[in-house]
Amino acid sequence: MSLLGPTPDAVDELICSARGCRATATWGLLWNNPKLHTPERRKVWLACDDHREPLSQFLGVRDFLRDVVPASTLERVDAS
């Protein structure tokens, strides 16, 4: 575990994760399924403004949602 706490997975393109949506993501929904992931792992779903709430609710009902952060603060995958 990091001394600074859980670290979100790096993201590639900032495209909303909602099915069929190709909008630019402005939010990162950090989540963890404790049955599958170590406590420090933070998977990331990206969300546009329109899909932030529905995606957050989906994860929240399952008690997977850990945090919501601006997408601009997420580490990016190195494209090289």
Side-chain angles (χ1 to χ4, degrees), residues 13-32:
E13 290 183 274
L14 294 180
I15 302 296
C16 183
S17 299
R19 184 178 301 178
C21 185
R22 299 295 299 158
T24 299
T26 51
W27 300 101
L29 283 57
L30 310 183
W31 64 278
N32 173 290

Side-chain angles (χ1 to χ4, degrees), residues 41-72:
R41 176 86 186 268
R42 290 297 180 267
K43 302 276 291 171
V44 179
W45 276 0
L46 296 169
C48 64
D49 288 337
D50 290 341
H51 290 113
R52 177 185 173 178
E53 274 307 306
L55 291 173
S56 293
Q57 288 174 358
F58 180 89
L59 292 168
V61 166
R62 290 152 182 80
D63 200 28
F64 293 170
L65 186 63
R66 302 294 178 250
D67 202 2
V68 178
V69 299
S72 61

